[in-house]
Amino acid sequence: MASPVLPSSGVLSPLGTDSVRPAPGFWGDRIALNREVTIAHCQEWMERTGWIGNFRRLGATPAQRGAHPRQGREFSDSEIYKLLEAMAWADHPNLPELAATVAAAQEEDGYLNTRWYDDRYSDFEWGHELYCYGHLIQAGVARLRAHGEDELTKVVLRAADHICRRFMNTQETCGHPVVEMALVELYRATGTERYLEMARRFVERRGLPALGDITFGRAYFQDDLPVRRARVFRGHAVRAVYLASGAVDVAVETGDSELLSAIEAQWERTVARRIHLTGGLGSRHSDESFGEDFELPPDRAYSETCAGIGSIMLSHRLLLATGNVRYADLAERTMFNVLATALALDGRSFFYASPLHVRVPASPLEGVNQVAEGGLRSPWFTVSCCPSNIARTYASLAAYLATSDASGVQIHHHAPAEIRHGGLALRVETGYPWSGAVTVRVLEAGSGRISLRVPPWASGARLSYGGAVRPVSPGYAVAEGEWRAGDEIRLDLPMTPRWTYPDPRADAVRGCAAVERGPLVYCAESVGDEPPLSLIRAGTATPVEHHLLDGVVELDVQASLLHPPADAWPYSSPQAPQSAAPPGQPAPAPAGEPLRLVPYHRWGNRGPATMRVWLPTTA
Ligand SMILES: [Zn+2]
């Protein structure tokens, strides 16, 4: 089974990229764009920046090395490994040559790192050596499952055995998790139990503590508390969700229900208090971390692409372990509003951070972006973790769409695709997320339940098959029967645009509302001399839909522009305070002009712009 995560037990089993074939559509188009454009784009930049050259450099003499310093940050090897993973899932022709370049740099005992080869394991807090191995191992697992053994998989086994020899009986771990979930997956792919035991020990020793204290505090790398004692995700958001993913994997394979419950509780509390409307994670730019509960300022939202991807990976693991639909619901929100947002429509530039409010249009930039922030997608970054993460995620995304169990097939994410399981073959046809109609055609006969996820916003959904129509509630709509070729099941999800209000404790956006339609968050975008978004006041009448020729749906709301006072002192004390609508209540519609809202994932494709998701509804 060609899936990045393949637990040996759980309520649901993944259907891999060999069972789910995406067809043209929202996700299918992006998967194809990734294979045809983004993967090669990433490789070109890794050559241009010298990060692939770092591997060739290790074969040179010390004198030659001295003349050609190593390029990039201490973790740049991991980008080559994520690219190799993307190539493995996409069966990309460039893989063998790149894998050979990596293989040539590996030392006799399995050690492999272009930064620390002459100073091994001297900086666990920031060195990222085990982090790099984690991504190398994930690439090897992808190659094993999508292709079979080759030079890359041999490199990976040598590296994993080196890790087990070096770290099994120490108390050390890495400042950046990922090796945990990688080792569990390698155990799943090979059956070699020491990989699972090594992963278990890495999870358990964290928080004892295992690392030195740092400026940001040990919570930055989740070393402030043992994993099973924490109550909420905290610290660096990518680290937090990668570690939690590894902990779920360990819990599932070792039958540790206490550890699994601990991660479920942390997920639940985080999703109730520390998440942006888009599914984005992280509120602080200085340490790329979660903020305190309800610290969710839209303009300071960090929402790193990698944190969104890690959240999708975690939610998918929890879905497989428990079968609970809420995990698929969050994965969908994050896929449409973080993952899809991060990649430009041409597949060649990326967001690192995705705030929900951009006050100043960015300046176009040629070359490498030195910072994570911006407001325009960049072709490459000094810290370029996100582009290669996007590439490997799209390359394996088909494996996230559907699952199976003993009773049949579950379709969690609605996308045109062919799905095969057992004897059953299905074709999903849909214009989702623009249209709410999802049709499943039976191509080859079979029996069993066919379950289609009904998202939490879709009250009034209907399921039709066998000549009957019935209402279905959020959760899963289940069609059951003996299926013959040509049979058809249809799910209709209501796609009326809706206003969404924040919990009043999310005080940075109190008095604001946002518009969603289906799984998509919308935003106002202002390009050039279009109205300034800082002065708008929106009315909360039902938005008006505009269906564009390419299927995209934009929305109009009514908004008026406030008049700013003189530019002297930005506060005033009027005699009669203006009455404000209480939070959560629709404001009276101002006499305004239509304000066009675009899907959040499409913003920034028209050039430098300001943008906001949360629209003030009061003065
Ligand atoms: Zn990143």
Side-chain angles (χ1 to χ4, degrees):
M1 182 69 70
S3 169
V5 52
L6 206 48
S8 62
S9 66
V11 174
L12 302 175
S13 302
L15 293 177
T17 57
D18 42 356
S19 304
V20 180
R21 299 268 177 201
F26 190 94
W27 293 120
D29 292 350
R30 285 166 172 78
I31 290 167
L33 180 71
N34 179 60
R35 187 173 54 240
E36 287 153 22
V37 175
T38 307
I39 287 176
H41 171 94
C42 289
Q43 189 176 8
E44 282 164 29
W45 275 95
M46 289 182 202
E47 282 289 4
R48 199 190 300 192
T49 50
W51 300 356
I52 294 174
N54 289 338
F55 288 87
R56 300 189 190 103
R57 179 175 169 272
L58 289 192
T61 64
Q64 288 168 325
R65 277 185 214 161
H68 296 281
R70 184 185 179 279
Q71 301 297 310
R73 292 287 302 268
E74 62 276 21
F75 39 73
S76 68
D77 292 1
S78 67
E79 310 313 341
I80 283 80
Y81 302 152
K82 278 186 280 182
L83 177 62
L84 280 169
E85 184 187 341
M87 289 176 170
W89 292 124
D91 195 21
H92 199 278
N94 293 8
L95 183 143
E97 190 183 340
L98 185 57
T101 303
V102 168
Q106 190 171 34
E107 297 184 36
E108 283 282 302
D109 66 348
Y111 184 87
L112 178 52
N113 192 286
T114 69
R115 166 63 182 83
W116 300 100
Y117 59 91
D118 56 357
D119 195 13
R120 290 183 182 189
Y121 306 120
S122 54
D123 185 352
F124 285 100
E125 287 74 29
W126 300 107
H128 288 78
E129 281 158 292
L130 287 164
Y131 169 79
C132 289
Y133 285 128
H135 283 304
L136 174 66
I137 292 169
Q138 290 179 321
V141 169
R143 191 61 169 167
L144 270 175
R145 290 187 178 148
H147 173 90
E149 289 180 23
D150 70 353
E151 189 171 19
L152 175 61
T153 66
K154 288 178 190 148
V155 169
V156 167
L157 293 177
R158 281 196 294 268
D161 289 338
H162 161 77
I163 294 168
C164 292
R165 282 194 304 274
R166 172 65 179 74
F167 292 99
M168 191 66 82
N169 295 305
T170 74
Q171 284 305 311
E172 295 152 325
T173 195
C174 184
H176 200 314
V178 84
V179 74
E180 300 83 359
M181 63 171 135
L183 282 167
V184 176
E185 218 56 55
L186 189 62
Y187 155 72
R188 290 166 171 166
T190 62
T192 305
E193 292 197 356
R194 65 177 171 277
Y195 303 146
L196 174 61
E197 178 60 15
M198 187 70 259
R200 190 188 70 77
R201 293 186 188 196
F202 279 137
V203 168
E204 294 293 356
R205 67 181 61 151
R206 206 172 198 87
L208 293 179
L211 295 159
D213 207 356
I214 55 165
T215 318
F216 301 132
R218 285 200 177 93
Y220 172 80
F221 33 45
Q222 295 78 41
D223 194 37
D224 54 331
L225 282 171
V227 175
R228 65 180 74 234
R229 281 187 42 213
R231 292 188 63 212
V232 68
F233 298 146
R234 69 238 177 268
H236 187 270
V238 180
R239 283 168 166 84
V241 287
Y242 280 15
L243 177 64
S245 296
V248 171
D249 290 338
V250 166
V252 166
E253 295 306 325
T254 60
D256 189 338
S257 55
E258 181 197 90
L259 181 59
L260 180 61
S261 298
I263 301 296
E264 280 202 276
Q266 292 166 31
W267 183 96
E268 193 167 324
R269 190 176 173 93
T270 303
V271 167
R273 290 158 187 258
R274 297 188 174 190
I275 193 163
H276 298 285
L277 181 64
T278 52
L281 302 178
S283 288
R284 293 184 185 169
H285 292 225
S286 61
D287 55 350
E288 306 187 307
S289 76
F290 289 96
E292 299 298 336
D293 288 354
F294 300 106
E295 181 186 334
L296 296 164
D299 46 356
R300 300 302 294 160
Y302 197 63
S303 183
E304 181 181 340
T305 300
C306 291
I309 288 171
S311 175
I312 294 166
M313 290 161 53
L314 172 61
S315 288
H316 185 62
R317 282 163 166 76
L318 290 168
L319 173 70
L320 296 175
T322 67
N324 192 322
V325 70
R326 63 186 180 166
Y327 299 119
D329 292 337
L330 183 69
E332 172 174 75
R333 177 174 291 278
T334 313
M335 285 161 64
F336 278 113
N337 300 297
V338 179
L339 179 62
T341 306
L343 183 64
L345 296 177
D346 70 358
R348 294 178 186 279
S349 60
F350 315 89
F351 278 139
Y352 187 117
S354 284
L356 279 70
H357 183 180
V358 171
R359 295 175 183 275
V360 180
S363 303
L365 181 76
E366 291 292 324
V368 178
N369 191 345
Q370 304 289 330
V371 297
E373 304 168 40
L376 274 180
R377 294 172 183 83
S378 299
W380 205 246
F381 300 87
T382 307
V383 174
S384 222
C385 47
C386 301
S388 54
N389 222 352
I390 290 167
R392 70 173 183 147
T393 303
Y394 276 118
S396 55
L397 196 68
Y400 289 79
L401 302 183
T403 59
S404 69
D405 65 6
S407 75
V409 170
Q410 302 80 37
I411 299 171
H412 305 284
H413 301 291
H414 305 305
E418 273 192 28
I419 300 173
R420 288 174 185 273
H421 174 63
L424 199 59
L426 308 172
R427 181 189 296 139
V428 183
E429 296 169 2
T430 180
Y432 195 77
W434 313 115
S435 147
V438 181
T439 301
V440 179
R441 284 182 210 289
V442 177
L443 300 179
E444 289 170 25
S447 60
R449 289 182 182 179
I450 298 170
S451 305
L452 293 120
R453 190 175 59 87
V454 178
W457 42 262
S459 55
R462 285 143 42 114
L463 185 72
S464 329
Y465 69 100
V469 184
R470 63 182 171 90
V472 286
S473 303
Y476 290 96
V478 180
E480 197 156 10
E482 290 292 323
W483 305 108
R484 292 166 305 175
D487 282 352
E488 199 175 297
I489 302 158
R490 183 178 158 128
L491 176 68
D492 282 290
L493 302 170
M495 302 298 276
T496 311
R498 60 194 188 276
W499 286 94
T500 300
Y501 299 88
D503 184 310
R505 290 171 290 181
D507 46 357
V509 288
R510 196 186 298 158
C512 294
V515 174
E516 299 179 272
R517 181 183 182 275
L520 302 181
V521 172
Y522 278 70
C523 66
E525 178 183 42
S526 179
V527 179
D529 55 4
E530 291 171 6
L533 300 178
S534 56
L535 288 171
I536 57 171
R537 177 193 178 202
T540 51
T542 302
V544 177
E545 297 191 355
H546 294 270
H547 293 255
L548 309 188
L549 286 177
D550 55 1
V552 172
V553 179
E554 297 184 347
L555 303 171
D556 274 352
V557 298
Q558 291 291 311
S560 53
L561 279 181
L562 303 176
H563 298 287
D567 205 7
W569 175 246
Y571 308 95
S572 61
S573 309
Q575 290 295 324
Q578 293 172 349
S579 65
Q585 296 297 314
E593 298 288 316
L595 174 70
R596 181 60 59 96
L597 305 185
V598 301
Y600 177 72
H601 72 263
R602 294 177 69 87
W603 95 270
N605 276 296
R606 293 192 295 149
T610 59
M611 177 278 294
R612 67 187 305 164
V613 167
W614 290 107
L615 307 177
T617 59
T618 66

